[in-house]
Amino acid sequence: MGKIYFYISFVLLCFSSYFILNTEKNEKIQGYLENKTKRFEQSYNVLYGQYKKLSSLIYHTRINTKEVLYIFKDAYKSDENQKARIRKELFEKLNSTYSLLKDHNLKQLHFHLPDNESFLRFHRPSKFGDNLTNIRDTIKYVNRYKKPVDGFEEGRIYNGYRFVYPLFYEGEHIGSVEASFSTLVLSSEFMKNFNVIAKFLISKDVVNEKVFEAEKSNYIKSKFDNFYLEKKIIEKLNYPDTKISDKTRKIIENEDLNDKNFSLYDSTNKSVLTFIKIKNPISDKTVGIMVIKSDAKYIHNKTTNFYMAFGGAVIFIILALMFLYKNKNQTKILNQTVREKTKKLTKLNKELENNEHKLQRLNENLEIKIKDEVSKNREKDRVLFEQSKMAALGEMIGNIAHQWRQPLSAISTGVSSMQLQKELNLLTDDDFHNNCNSIVRNVDYLSKTIDDFRNFIRGNSKKEKFNIKQSIQSFLSIVSSYVKKDNIDIRLDIEDIQITGLQNELNQCLINLFNNARDALSDKREDKYIFIKASKQKDQLKILFKDNAGGIKDTIIDKIFEPYFTTKHQSQGTGLGLHMTYKLIVDGMDGTINVHNETYIHEGKEYSGAVFEIIIPLYEEE
């Protein structure tokens, strides 16, 4: 029976270890995929906004002018001969503008009559007269409600990002016009700015329903049965051939296309695929998908760490069970030798009495050895402190790239916009100054980010006079990307206080407390709060740092400042963060730090969480 129990215990322990480690791995990977989806959503919205601004510029400066409106005003009421004359005059008036804008990815310039009849397609001047009421929801909407609308839509010939505007002459509605940009615009911008592969998939049902039969050759099959790709874009961007797993293909085929965006890991091409769903602005139905392929290094590392941890757990379980099994069989043998050992111990006791004087001499050298060991342990603690700080630095510095992406994209787009306006002779002084001011603001933001990280890395071990409000703002700048990424709401109540002390060490303490609170809040999906209050009380600075993560368990709250104590997995925490904070406050600043749990009311809701109280004496400036 002993061997049977051994095998059953082995199987149960291995299964439990696998379940716990695999659950932790999957939760981390899912959080990573959700964050990647949010980042790409934000970038997509920024790029789309820039082209919406450009289309508005074209409309207001080149189309919605007295000359163009005068030419177009009688088109709806005219006979076919008069329409042909107006069409020719309008084409000659705007063709040079259209040709220039094509170099900036303008795909279509299209005029429509009030009854939604196509009047003039600059990309196909010979195709006109077809009614678009049941084909183009955006045109139908604009001509009915006399309001502009924008979004992605498939047409008779091409698809694109449509920006449709109503046209009026002396208060009378005379039709509408649209400027549209190719999906190539956003795909190429994603590939250039983020070093990814971006493809735009178009619903097969929409193409089959709307596109002229002669124009359907512009589309080819994609890896997904219910979506097409545009042939010219594939040829221009020269995509590498990408294989898709059957699992991914089934997910897309069965996915609710009107649900939210998402990311997944595809095991066949070893990468992350992010699906941003593009909806028709009128029907709100998904008509296309932007598929972004990016690297999956994080997932590969997590998977490797999981297998290593599980392998180590299996080895440990085998050794532990073998040890227990062997000891059980040897118990009888050990009992038999107890008497013999007792006799030997008696003999050893006599020898120990004879060696007592040797111990006395050793005790005399013990103090020296203790001092040496204490010195060594302090050096170890210092090294561990530095390692803990540098690990946090590595994570924060790696996050600079994320903080820089949006301002860099805004700078690039602003410069491109000014170049285009200059070529079109549309660059006004106000536009020039607004773009320059936007670029300067973004450059200042990038510079400030570097200054904050440089000051934190450089540090300063000398006491200096600094403002506590500015110091806390500097700390918040360092962790701002985590605040945004984890949707944490930080509430401040900071008095304007001058303090003489160790500013960098205080910031390090606040970062450690923030990381501790951030980990505690990671299980909450909403209402994540961190409250920071700094006030002057007589000759002391009092800082309260609290969250709403539910508090610290009573069984461990007295241990959290001890070295190497951590509730995290060994791969996530060293147990030195709060211990280092305690040492910096108590030994480095002659202050105190305490922690307790508290229940409180905030904006009508009851919360509970941990409260760290830091008290630092205020020194007079020497």
Side-chain angles (χ1 to χ4, degrees), residues 70 170 183 231 358 370 422 464 478 543 556 562 615:
Y70 182 79
E170 295 182 352
T183 57
K231 185 189 298 183
K358 295 181 180 179
I370 289 174
K422 181 66 175 176
E464 59 182 358
I478 293 175
I543 300 176
I556 65 171
E562 295 178 4
I615 296 177

Side-chain angles (χ1 to χ4, degrees), residues 435-550:
N435 278 319
C436 288
N437 290 336
S438 174
I439 292 171
V440 169
R441 284 195 302 272
N442 282 289
V443 170
D444 287 343
Y445 173 79
L446 299 177
S447 177
K448 185 178 183 301
T449 301
I450 288 298
D451 288 341
D452 289 338
F453 279 87
R454 181 183 60 194
N455 292 335
F456 176 72
I457 295 170
R458 182 177 57 194
N460 188 356
S461 60
K462 294 182 180 181
K463 291 180 179 179
E464 59 182 358
K465 189 172 183 179
F466 63 92
N467 183 278
I468 189 65
K469 181 179 287 188
Q470 294 176 356
S471 181
I472 289 178
Q473 289 298 335
S474 176
F475 142 69
L476 291 176
S477 174
I478 293 175
V479 300
S480 62
S481 59
Y482 299 112
V483 173
K484 293 177 182 177
K485 182 173 70 174
D486 295 340
N487 295 318
I488 298 174
D489 189 352
I490 296 185
R491 300 296 178 92
L492 302 178
D493 182 8
I494 312 298
E495 294 182 10
D496 196 1
I497 305 170
Q498 295 292 329
I499 177 174
T500 299
L502 304 174
Q503 180 180 8
N504 201 64
E505 278 73 1
L506 180 59
N507 280 346
Q508 176 65 58
C509 294
L510 294 175
I511 289 172
N512 290 341
L513 294 179
F514 171 81
N515 289 335
N516 193 66
R518 175 178 169 236
D519 289 333
L521 290 167
S522 61
D523 293 332
K524 291 176 68 67
R525 294 193 175 272
E526 56 184 13
D527 291 341
K528 299 180 182 181
Y529 290 107
I530 291 178
F531 301 88
I532 306 175
K533 180 178 181 181
S535 58
K536 183 177 181 180
Q537 297 184 353
K538 295 183 180 180
D539 57 349
Q540 293 178 329
L541 169 66
K542 182 177 181 180
I543 300 176
L544 292 179
F545 193 107
K546 69 179 180 180
D547 56 50
N548 67 327

Side-chain angles (χ1 to χ4, degrees), residues 9-208:
S9 299
F10 174 75
V11 172
L12 291 176
L13 289 173
C14 288
F15 177 79
S16 300
S17 300
Y18 181 89
F19 177 78
I20 293 171
L21 293 172
N22 191 55
T23 300
E24 186 269 343
K25 178 202 70 172
N26 290 338
E27 288 177 352
K28 293 291 184 182
I29 290 176
Q30 184 59 35
Y32 169 78
L33 293 175
E34 290 175 0
N35 287 332
K36 177 159 284 196
T37 302
K38 289 179 182 178
R39 290 202 301 273
F40 283 142
E41 280 179 346
Q42 292 170 354
S43 300
Y44 176 87
N45 292 333
V46 169
L47 292 172
Y48 181 84
Q50 295 299 327
Y51 281 93
K52 183 175 181 179
K53 180 179 178 181
L54 178 58
S55 70
S56 177
L57 181 69
I58 296 169
Y59 168 71
H60 287 291
T61 59
R62 287 303 177 97
I63 298 175
N64 195 34
T65 63
K66 290 182 179 180
E67 295 84 355
V68 173
L69 295 176
Y70 182 79
I71 295 172
F72 187 57
K73 65 183 176 64
D74 296 323
Y76 184 51
K77 304 173 184 178
S78 301
D79 58 28
E80 292 303 319
N81 290 331
Q82 291 173 325
K83 284 183 178 180
R85 178 185 57 79
I86 295 171
R87 190 176 292 113
K88 179 180 179 182
E89 190 175 350
L90 190 61
F91 183 82
E92 291 174 350
K93 176 68 177 176
L94 293 175
N95 189 44
S96 60
T97 298
Y98 173 69
S99 299
L100 178 61
L101 289 171
K102 279 201 302 182
D103 295 335
H104 294 273
N105 295 312
L106 182 73
K107 194 168 187 178
Q108 297 185 46
L109 186 60
H110 192 180
F111 282 81
H112 332 98
L113 299 178
D115 62 353
N116 307 321
E117 178 184 313
S118 172
F119 182 76
L120 174 59
R121 293 179 171 97
F122 276 76
H123 55 289
R124 291 284 196 279
S126 60
K127 286 188 176 291
F128 55 83
D130 51 304
N131 194 283
L132 301 171
T133 300
N134 298 322
I135 301 297
R136 295 287 309 283
D137 294 336
T138 54
I139 298 173
K140 179 180 176 182
Y141 176 91
V142 171
N143 283 329
R144 180 178 180 183
Y145 295 104
K146 284 76 175 178
K147 296 190 297 186
V149 72
D150 63 90
F152 177 84
E153 190 178 28
E154 182 63 74
R156 285 291 200 184
I157 299 175
Y158 288 128
N159 60 74
Y161 292 102
R162 318 277 188 172
F163 301 91
V164 189
Y165 303 91
L167 295 174
F168 300 90
Y169 183 79
E170 295 182 352
E172 180 184 357
H173 178 234
I174 60 174
S176 58
V177 65
E178 73 163 296
S180 66
F181 294 89
S182 169
T183 57
L184 171 67
V185 172
L186 267 68
S187 297
S188 59
E189 287 290 336
F190 263 101
M191 295 176 70
K192 179 176 68 175
N193 293 335
F194 298 99
N195 193 26
V196 297
I197 294 175
K199 292 183 180 180
F200 198 99
L201 305 179
I202 305 166
S203 171
K204 181 183 292 186
D205 292 339
V206 173
V207 172
N208 292 337

Side-chain angles (χ1 to χ4, degrees), residues 185 319 345 361 377 500 581 616:
V185 172
L319 294 176
L345 287 172
R361 288 199 302 269
N377 286 334
T500 299
T581 300
I616 302 172

Side-chain angles (χ1 to χ4, degrees), residues 402-415:
H402 174 63
Q403 289 184 242
W404 274 27
R405 279 176 181 162
Q406 188 162 329
L408 285 176
S409 178
I411 291 171
S412 174
T413 305
V415 173

Side-chain angles (χ1 to χ4, degrees), residues 325-339:
Y325 183 76
K326 183 178 180 180
N327 281 354
K328 183 177 179 181
N329 293 333
Q330 291 182 344
T331 301
K332 294 181 180 179
I333 299 174
L334 290 174
N335 287 335
Q336 293 174 357
T337 60
V338 167
R339 293 184 184 130

